[in-house]
Amino acid sequence: MRIAVALKPGHSDPEGETATRLLKELGYKVETVNVSKVYNVFLEARSRKEAVMKAEEMCKRLLANPTKDKYTIVVEEQK
Amino acid sequence: MRIAVALKPGHSDPEGETATRLLKELGYKVETVNVSKVYNVFLEARSRKEAVMKAEEMCKRLLANPTKDKYTIVVEEQK
C-alpha cells in the first residue's frame, strides 16, 4: 500500500520553498512547490480493512507527526 | 502537476530500510518499505504537452539524479 505524508496547510515546507526558488532561478514560471513523502509498504494483511487500520496505526506511531502532517492511504491488493 | 521521484531498483534506500526495521520492531509484518518523494508543482503552461516537457526538464536539471532516480509525471489541469 501507499502512504503519502504531507504537511498540513500553514506549516512551513523549507524543501518545497527551496525547490520553488531554484526552479524560478532556472527560468520556470512556477507558483509553488510542495514536497510530500510516499511510503510504499509491502505488508501482510487478511483484508483491505485490516490493511487500512494498520496503516493508520503506523502513521500515528511512526510515519507522520500529528501536529504538522496529514496522510492519505491507498491500499493495493496483491495475490 | 505531480512529479514522483523514486530510487531505481538496486539502489540502497536507507530511509526505507530504517522504516522497515522500526515497523518490524513495532510488531508489524512488513516485508519492505520504499520511500519516494512527490513534488506538487503549480506551473503555468499552455498545454498538457508543454507541462510534461517542462516537468521532464525540471527532473533532469534539478529534481532527480539520473544515476539513481526514476521519475513519473502526472499533469492535472486547473482552469
Side-chain angles (χ1 to χ4, degrees):
Chain A
M1 60 197 172
R2 276 180 290 132
I3 302 177
V5 179
L7 286 164
K8 288 179 182 169
H11 284 263
S12 101
D13 173 4
E15 205 175 346
E17 284 161 22
T18 308
T20 309
R21 186 173 52 77
L22 292 173
L23 288 171
K24 279 183 180 167
E25 282 174 18
L26 288 171
Y28 296 105
K29 284 181 186 159
V30 167
E31 280 169 53
T32 50
V33 182
N34 307 319
V35 184
S36 56
K37 199 169 271 188
V38 176
Y39 295 90
N40 275 298
V41 181
F42 297 86
L43 172 89
E44 258 184 64
R46 271 160 303 185
S47 65
R48 181 172 284 267
K49 203 177 154 189
E50 191 195 324
V52 172
M53 254 180 51
K54 288 203 172 164
E56 284 190 353
E57 249 183 56
M58 286 178 192
C59 287
K60 284 178 190 151
R61 294 176 75 185
L62 181 72
L63 303 177
N65 175 340
T67 312
K68 64 176 186 60
D69 294 330
K70 58 181 180 174
Y71 52 82
T72 51
I73 296 161
V74 178
V75 175
E76 285 156 1
E77 264 172 272
Q78 287 185 322
K79 304 286 172 185
Chain B
M1 62 198 171
R2 274 179 290 131
I3 302 177
V5 179
L7 286 164
K8 288 180 183 168
H11 284 264
S12 103
D13 174 4
E15 205 176 345
E17 284 161 23
T18 307
T20 310
R21 185 172 53 76
L22 291 174
L23 288 172
K24 279 184 179 166
E25 282 174 18
L26 289 171
Y28 297 104
K29 282 180 186 161
V30 167
E31 280 169 54
T32 50
V33 180
N34 306 319
V35 183
S36 56
K37 199 169 272 188
V38 177
Y39 295 89
N40 275 298
V41 181
F42 297 86
L43 173 88
E44 258 183 62
R46 270 158 306 186
S47 65
R48 181 171 285 268
K49 203 177 154 189
E50 191 196 322
V52 171
M53 255 181 51
K54 289 204 171 164
E56 283 188 354
E57 249 184 57
M58 287 178 191
C59 287
K60 284 176 189 151
R61 295 176 75 185
L62 181 72
L63 304 176
N65 176 339
T67 313
K68 64 176 186 58
D69 294 329
K70 58 181 181 177
Y71 53 81
T72 51
I73 295 160
V74 178
V75 176
E76 285 156 1
E77 265 174 270
Q78 287 184 322
K79 303 285 172 182

